[in-house]
Amino acid sequence: MAGSTLIFVSGGVRSGKSAWAEKKVLDAEAARSIYLASGRAYDAEMKARIERHRMDRLGRGWTTIEQPLHLEDALAKLQPGDAVLWDCVTTWLANELYEGWENGMPCAEQPGCMEKKWARLQETLIGIQEIAAVLVIVSNEVLDDFIRDRTYQFWLGKIHLWLVAQAKEAYEMENGFAYKRK
């Protein structure tokens, strides 16, 4: 990818990856630190949790863009030179794979649906890099997530391989320590 620096970090649940990634973005000293949040409010409790996290980030100087689906819609909200954190791939993937489940037609069961979303994600990440100074992407480990769906694991693995290949730096987090893999 041309443009900004891409940094990819993955790790297990509670590995410290999100806090570490936040520090990387804040250290970039950009005009704006953008937090692309992938959480989706399915109920009042989750809505309150998302709002609490957004307000906490605001108090620490972040601009939050809630984008649980269709990450490409965030492009229009970015400004040249932003430092961007996308947290997290696994949440976005679950949202996109199972979009339409409430109507009995999740993307995961529609031929070609996820392939289209994957192509759009690649284009979007390239687009973000053309705008941003730095893009830090966070994800859980492929087999560490609570979802044991083979389709989910396949797509997460495919996305991770692509991100590591494109990244200037790739890290694996464990117990608060970042181990550089690339």
Side-chain angles (χ1 to χ4, degrees):
M1 284 186 215
S4 67
T5 299
L6 173 62
I7 300 170
F8 177 63
V9 58
S10 69
V13 175
R14 304 209 192 297
S15 64
K17 63 191 173 294
S18 293
W20 185 87
E22 286 181 15
K23 185 175 179 339
K24 274 287 206 193
V25 169
L26 293 172
D27 286 349
E29 297 183 10
R32 292 192 322 161
S33 298
I34 304 295
Y35 197 106
L36 292 176
S38 298
R40 196 170 182 191
Y42 289 105
D43 56 30
E45 180 182 347
M46 189 61 172
K47 185 177 180 179
R49 185 175 173 194
I50 289 170
E51 182 61 19
R52 186 176 65 249
H53 285 292
R54 188 184 66 74
M55 294 306 292
D56 178 55
R57 287 189 298 267
L58 181 62
R60 294 182 290 130
W62 289 91
T63 298
T64 299
I65 299 172
E66 302 288 347
Q67 206 64 56
L69 289 162
H70 311 287
L71 189 65
E72 65 276 7
D73 292 345
L75 282 170
K77 301 171 187 170
L78 299 177
Q79 297 174 7
D82 282 345
V84 178
L85 170 59
W86 179 32
D87 194 1
C88 97
V89 173
T90 50
T91 305
W92 171 88
L93 178 60
N95 293 341
E96 293 284 357
L97 271 174
Y98 304 112
E99 180 182 30
W101 68 269
E102 60 279 351
N103 300 325
M105 290 295 297
C107 177
E109 295 179 8
Q110 297 177 39
C113 180
M114 196 57 211
E115 286 77 7
K116 290 176 187 171
K117 290 177 183 274
W118 169 231
R120 195 166 46 240
L121 176 63
Q122 290 172 306
E123 291 170 7
T124 300
L125 294 176
I126 291 168
I128 291 171
Q129 282 203 276
E130 290 172 353
I131 298 168
V134 64
L135 171 58
V136 180
I137 299 175
V138 175
S139 189
N140 289 353
E141 295 170 335
V142 174
L143 297 176
D144 191 48
D145 222 338
F146 66 93
I147 299 175
R148 296 289 179 208
D149 178 285
R150 287 180 188 232
T151 301
Y152 173 85
Q153 290 175 342
F154 168 81
W155 282 106
L156 187 57
K158 185 175 183 113
I159 293 167
H160 279 203
L161 288 172
W162 186 81
L163 288 170
V164 169
Q166 302 304 315
K168 180 179 179 189
E169 301 173 23
Y171 298 87
E172 184 176 339
M173 292 293 299
E174 187 175 319
N175 297 320
F177 294 98
Y179 298 95
K180 192 170 187 176
R181 301 297 183 206
K182 180 178 177 184

